[in-house]
Amino acid sequence: MTLKLFNTLSGKLEEFVPLNPPEVKIYTCGVTVYDESHVGHGRSLIVFDVFRRFLEHLGYQVRFVRNFTDVDDKIITRAKEECKDFMEIADRYIARYYEDTQFIGIRPANVEPRVTDHIPEIIELIQKLIEKGFAYATPEGNVYFSVEKFKDYGKLSKRSVDELIAGARVEPGEDKKNPLDFALWKRSKAGEPAWDSPWGKGRPGWHTECVCFVFKHLGETIDIHGGGLDLIFPHHENEIAQAEALTEKPFARYWMHNGLVIVNGQKMSKSLGNFVTLKEIYTKYHPDVLRILVLSVHYRSPLDFFWEKMENAKKVYERIRQAVEDYEKLKELKTYEENLGGVHPLYEFVKETEEGFFKALSEDFKTQEALASYMNLISEMNKLRNKAFKDKKISSQALEAYGYAINSVKNTLRNIFGLLEDVLPRCPVKEVVKKELEPASAVVDKELINLLVEVRQMAREKKLFDIADKIRARLKEKGIILEDTPFGTKWKRV
RNA sequence: GGCGGCGUAGCCAAGUGGCUAAGGCGGGGGACUGCAAAUCCCUUAUUCCCCGGUUCGAAUCCGGGCGCCGCCUCCA
C-alpha cells in the first residue's frame, strides 16, 4: 500500500517515500508555553499523534521530535504580569501541557527539547550562519538572517521576496538591513532572560530553535516536518532558509500542515475571547469524543468548533462503545449451531472495513473516510446483535464472527486512532473528569440507585407501571437515565 | 491588494469524468417495548453556489462571476 500525502512544498499530492526506510524522521512544532493549551493545539497534536501511529502500523520506525518554546516575548510578558521568573511560567505551562496531552491520549515524542536546554547549540548554529555570510550581527547586539542571500526564500509559502517587501512593516528603531530579515539572536533588555553570547547578553529568536533541534536530534534532512497552517509563513519559511543555507540540502522532504480551528465561524483569538481550552473540553466530555471530532474532518480543512458538534461526536463515540460492550452480553446468550455452508458473512465485511479504513488513510490521511468505514461495520454488527437479542440466542458462528469484528474495531480504532483506550489510569487525579467517566459515582450513591432499580423492577413485574415510570422520571430529573434491556435495567449518568 | 483554500441535504462531511451522489447528526414513518430509551428497517439532495464552455457523458475538467475562510504581524 502506498501512502500519498499533500506536500505543502510542492502543493501536490505525492507518494511518500522515506529517505532511509524503514526509518521515518518527523518533527513538529510544539507549543509556546505561556498559557493553557486550547482546542487548536489539541487538533494539531491529535492529527500528528494518529499519523504517527499510522506510520508505525505501516511498519516504519518513527523517530518523532516535538519541541517546547520556553523563551519568548509572550512568556516574558506573562512573567512580568505575574512578577515571576519566566522559567517558572514556562515550567508551569509545560506541566499543564503534560496534564492535557496525557489526558487526551497524545503519546509523548521520542525527544521533547526545550530552547533553554540548547542555548550553546543555538549560538553555534547562528555563528555558522554568520561565517557562511547568511547572517549579520548589528552594533546593538542583535543578529539577523539576511533574506536576500537565500535565493529560495518564499518557496514554501509561495511568496516572492518582492511582494513581501512591498507589504513589509518596519518597526521603528529596528536595526535590520532589510525589512524581511528576521532575528536569530535578540539583545535582552534589562530584567529579561539573557545568556552570554559573542554578541553580548541576549536570547534566541524564535525560528532558530527548530532548526537546531532537528539537526541535533534527527539530522540535516528529515522526512516530514509538520505543524499548523499558520506556521507556514514566516516560521517554516525561515526554518528552511536557515537550514538549507547551512547544509545546502533539503531540510524536510514533506511538509504537512493541519488546518486551523475556528469557533462559530470566527477565528479563535484572545482578543475575541473565544478560546476553548482542552481542559474545558475534557471536563465535559470523554477524551475520545474530542478525538472523534478532530478525526471526522480532513486534517487540512478548517474545523469550525461549536459545542453541538461535540454532542454529535459523542453520539458516534457511544455508538462505538456500545458495540464493544454488547459483545459481553452476547456471550451470555444460549448458542446453537448454524449451517451457513461457508464462513459467516460478517468476516467478509470486516475485511472490507479494514481495507476501506487503510485505503482512506493512505490517500492523504483521510481519517473521516476511515472512520465512516468502521461506522458501516458497526451498523452490520448491530443488526446481528439485534437479531440475537430478539431470538434470545445466537449461533456460535455468529458469535465468533461478532467477536472477530470486535477485535478489529478494538485493534484498529485503539492502535491507530487512539480511541477506546483505558483513560482512567492515565489521569488519576482529575476529579471532575472522574465524575464523567465513572457515571454518577460522585453525585449519587450507587447502592441507592441499584435499590431503586430493583424496586422498580418489582413494580414492573406486578404491572404497576405508574410507579415504575415515576421512579424512572424522577431519576432522570437527577440525571440518571434508566434503560430496560434484555439483560435487565441499566443506568447511566447523563 | 498578493498568496493559498473552500462553497455538496436542516447541520457536519465523503465523492474530483460514467454503477441508484459514502458516513454521521437531526427530522418523518415503522419494528421492538407495558410505555420509554437504546437498536434495527424505510424515508429525508432528480441534484452538487451561479453563468457559460469542453465532452457521448461533469458535482468532478476549463473560463467568468458571486460568497466564505485562512495567511501576508505573534499564533497549532
Side-chain angles (χ1 to χ4, degrees), chain A residues 171-230:
Chain A
E171 298 290 334
E174 280 196 343
D175 51 348
K176 295 174 183 177
K177 287 182 185 168
N178 181 314
L180 295 187
D181 294 350
F182 56 89
L184 302 177
W185 188 263
K186 294 178 173 180
R187 187 191 55 178
S188 294
K189 299 185 195 102
E192 288 184 352
W195 288 264
D196 287 320
S197 81
W199 319 286
K201 292 253 182 198
R203 59 190 169 96
W206 178 35
H207 311 296
T208 310
E209 60 183 71
C210 293
V211 177
C212 174
F213 299 149
V214 167
F215 284 177
K216 180 170 177 185
H217 300 291
L218 294 171
E220 292 185 335
T221 298
I222 57 172
D223 293 296
I224 297 167
H225 192 126
L229 207 63
D230 51 346

Side-chain angles (χ1 to χ4, degrees), chain A residues 11 77 81-82 97 118 120 139 152 174 242 255 280-281 283 287 313 330 352 424 426 436-437 445 480 486:
Chain A
T77 305
E81 281 166 9
E82 297 189 20
Y97 168 91
H118 290 73
D152 282 340
E174 280 196 343
Q242 294 170 81
W255 288 84
E280 195 179 349
I281 287 175
T283 49
L330 284 174
E352 284 169 17
L424 276 179
R426 72 186 191 215
E436 174 77 15
L437 296 173
D445 190 282
I480 308 297

Side-chain angles (χ1 to χ4, degrees), chain A residues 29-37 41 67-76 90 93-94 97 206 209 231:
Chain A
C29 295
V31 293
T32 301
V33 282
Y34 74 104
D35 207 345
E36 303 279 320
S37 295
H41 299 123
N67 71 305
F68 289 110
T69 299
D70 64 351
V71 189
D72 155 279
D73 289 345
K74 292 188 290 295
I75 300 170
I76 294 167
Y93 288 110
I94 285 174
Y97 168 91
W206 178 35
E209 60 183 71
L231 295 180

Side-chain angles (χ1 to χ4, degrees), chain A residues 123 157-158 221 233-234 301 331 351 359 400-401 437 471 488:
Chain A
I123 289 173
S157 55
K158 318 270 187 287
T221 298
F233 189 88
S301 302
K331 283 196 282 196
K351 190 171 162 247
K359 184 168 175 284
E400 199 183 305
L437 296 173
I471 292 171

